[in-house]
Amino acid sequence: MEADLIMEHDLGTGYKIHLDEPVIVSMAAPGETRWGRHQFVRLSRYPEDKILLRFHAGADSVTAYGEDEPAFLSADSGHTWTPYEGEGFPATGSSFAVFNDEFLCVPHAVPFNVKAAGLNLPEPVGTFFSYRNVNLYRADQCAEAIQTHLNRQVCTRWHPETAEWVNEYLSWDSRHRLVWIAQGEEVDRVSGTWTEHAPIQLDGELLYADYRASYLMDDESVPQGCGVACMVSMDNGRTWQKRATIVGPNGIPGSVSNMTEPVLALDVNKNLVCVIRRADQEQKSLLITFSKDKGQTWEGLRPLDELGPFGVFPSLVSLDCGLLGLSYGRPGVHLTFSLDGTGHSWDKPITILPGDRDLLSTKTDGYTDLIPIGPDEFLLAYTDFETKDEMGRLRKAVLVRRVWISRSTGGVI
């Protein structure tokens, strides 16, 4: 065990955190520095106790949504990875375990091209800025083809009886829904939604925090930016309804922020924890909020200032040993733990990969993902833009590390 151990952290509270040496899953071509390529890594469950890893390979743009993504499978808890092209499995999207031993993949939605379809848009009902100007339209005022694109989305389901992936459709709530269209090179493209993290299984329901589908606020006003909604499915992922607004763009008094990239987890008491990114070009700390009633109401919203004034694509892992782990980045990659498993307090962050606040697009994209592989261990996936190959060249690399926890007094938990 000690041979491959390269990092150890004593939290001073009875726990030690250990990180094994990174495993290189994939490297970009030498000289590849374009933003979006070999970035945005994701881990997910796959049938037969395997783990799926995927990452983005194209431009960071709506126009690239739906393009093929590289895929790798691990059958040994992340020690080794094999390139994967599964029969019947979509070329994009992650695989998530749902009820009845089934798995669901919701591919990245190919945007609907309004201009190519010869359609006109109604007058926008609002606009906001997120890297570029974004216009908002009421979905119920748009052409039927646009509404169908938003509400009837292709997905793929794995059935244990046949061990095959079968295409089907899912429906995403269209009540009070808004169509968002970014201006510039993405103009006329209507994007759908998809699952970036695994939905939470709780008392027969699937719960998911979504920001890609925009909705009117609870008072039916038009939002001034991206908000986050708690979505629920009561039929194992076939239809999804909006249960509640988790937070709107003006969730913090006196501030308007685009609330994006949320992640849900169950705490040690089986209540919901949601961590949210709230930054575009600006750097702002992550947000956290909690629900004790299966996502119907949310409370305790606050910035996680103690973790630093930044944070993109956070990931949460709830461990059977009682700890809650959180990873995030840009600049760098960081890992922290809620030692009581509730998410209300967090230990001092561990820097996995340092970054540069003045050069945010270098070193790493800061996107991370976590997946448990045991009661006291999990995998951490991230990118390192300065990994050396066998010839000493710096290359973008997708890395996976095993993180495990022991008691300071000796022995694994």
Side-chain angles (χ1 to χ4, degrees):
M1 184 68 69
E2 295 294 326
D4 60 352
L5 185 65
I6 66 168
M7 291 184 67
E8 178 178 293
H9 294 268
D10 193 333
L11 300 181
T13 53
Y15 293 106
K16 281 187 179 180
I17 308 301
H18 312 265
L19 291 99
D20 288 353
E21 185 176 355
V23 174
I24 297 175
V25 179
S26 178
M27 300 184 82
E32 177 60 84
T33 60
R34 292 174 296 174
W35 187 257
R37 277 77 174 178
H38 251 76
Q39 293 183 209
F40 314 138
V41 62
R42 304 181 314 280
L43 296 169
S44 60
R45 298 280 177 210
Y46 193 85
E48 300 174 342
D49 293 324
K50 296 177 181 178
I51 298 172
L52 174 71
L53 181 148
R54 266 192 156 149
F55 56 86
H56 194 65
D60 184 15
S61 168
V62 170
T63 58
Y65 291 170
E67 293 182 357
D68 290 6
E69 293 183 304
F72 293 81
L73 275 183
S74 176
D76 55 10
S77 298
H79 291 287
T80 59
W81 297 85
T82 304
Y84 170 67
E85 295 181 6
E87 183 176 350
F89 190 66
T92 75
S94 301
S95 167
F96 303 115
V98 291
F99 295 109
N100 304 328
D101 296 322
E102 296 176 352
F103 285 78
L104 187 66
C105 177
V106 184
H108 296 184
V110 176
F112 182 94
N113 192 321
V114 178
K115 184 176 181 180
L119 301 175
N120 295 315
L121 290 166
E123 287 297 313
V125 294
T127 187
F128 65 90
F129 186 82
S130 177
Y131 294 103
R132 67 285 199 229
N133 287 326
V134 178
N135 288 345
L136 292 171
Y137 307 84
R138 287 193 62 122
D140 57 10
Q141 295 176 357
C142 290
E144 183 176 350
I146 297 175
Q147 296 185 49
T148 299
H149 169 76
L150 294 174
N151 193 44
R152 181 175 164 83
Q153 188 162 338
V154 175
C155 65
T156 306
R157 187 179 298 268
W158 187 85
H159 297 270
E161 299 86 358
T162 59
E164 293 180 345
W165 292 95
V166 178
N167 288 338
E168 58 181 50
Y169 292 94
L170 64 79
S171 174
W172 210 257
D173 202 340
S174 59
R175 298 169 299 171
H176 301 299
R177 187 160 178 183
L178 298 169
V179 174
W180 62 268
I181 299 182
Q183 303 305 288
E185 67 173 10
E186 302 170 358
V187 71
D188 297 321
R189 301 315 202 273
V190 176
S191 180
T193 190
W194 58 85
T195 43
E196 292 184 340
H197 293 284
I200 299 298
Q201 300 180 41
L202 183 61
D203 296 338
E205 297 180 339
L206 297 177
L207 297 164
Y208 180 69
D210 181 56
Y211 71 100
R212 291 192 175 277
S214 294
Y215 293 93
L216 294 174
M217 300 301 293
D218 294 342
D219 61 2
E220 299 191 19
S221 62
V222 177
Q224 298 174 287
C226 291
V228 176
C230 180
M231 308 298 294
V232 59
S233 174
M234 302 178 188
D235 56 7
N236 212 19
R238 291 174 174 84
T239 61
W240 293 84
Q241 292 80 41
K242 180 186 173 185
R243 172 160 284 176
T245 297
I246 297 177
V247 63
N250 57 347
I252 299 296
S255 171
V256 176
S257 300
N258 285 310
M259 306 295 184
T260 63
E261 298 173 354
V263 58
L264 279 182
L266 291 176
D267 72 6
V268 70
N269 301 311
K270 302 303 179 185
N271 295 318
L272 291 170
V273 180
C274 186
V275 177
I276 302 164
R277 172 185 175 181
R278 59 170 184 138
D280 289 339
Q281 287 96 336
E282 295 179 276
Q283 286 193 293
K284 298 179 181 179
S285 54
L286 297 165
L287 290 183
I288 193 167
T289 185
F290 309 89
S291 176
K292 296 180 179 179
D293 56 9
K294 302 179 185 178
Q296 299 184 68
T297 59
W298 294 84
E299 58 188 25
L301 179 71
R302 70 175 182 89
L304 287 170
D305 293 332
E306 67 270 29
L307 303 185
F310 57 89
V312 301
F313 206 77
S315 186
L316 286 168
V317 62
S318 181
L319 298 174
D320 291 343
C321 65
L323 272 65
L324 192 63
L326 168 65
S327 62
Y328 60 102
R330 200 185 304 166
V333 171
H334 310 274
L335 181 65
T336 183
F337 294 88
S338 174
L339 301 180
D340 66 2
T342 68
H344 287 280
S345 62
W346 296 89
D347 203 71
K348 182 180 178 180
I350 301 166
T351 296
I352 307 299
L353 190 67
D356 189 334
R357 291 198 64 182
D358 296 322
L359 297 168
L360 294 179
S361 62
T362 64
K363 298 185 184 297
T364 177
D365 60 13
Y367 275 49
T368 62
D369 213 358
L370 306 175
I371 194 168
I373 55 173
D376 48 35
E377 57 184 331
F378 58 93
L379 298 180
L380 163 66
Y382 59 99
T383 59
D384 182 351
F385 294 172
E386 299 180 349
T387 298
K388 290 185 178 180
D389 64 13
E390 66 280 357
M391 298 178 63
R393 298 172 297 186
L394 296 181
R395 295 167 64 177
K396 283 187 174 184
V398 173
L399 306 178
V400 172
R401 300 182 76 164
R402 184 176 76 103
V403 183
W404 50 284
I405 302 161
S406 67
R407 292 286 188 185
S408 299
T409 53
V412 177
I413 297 173

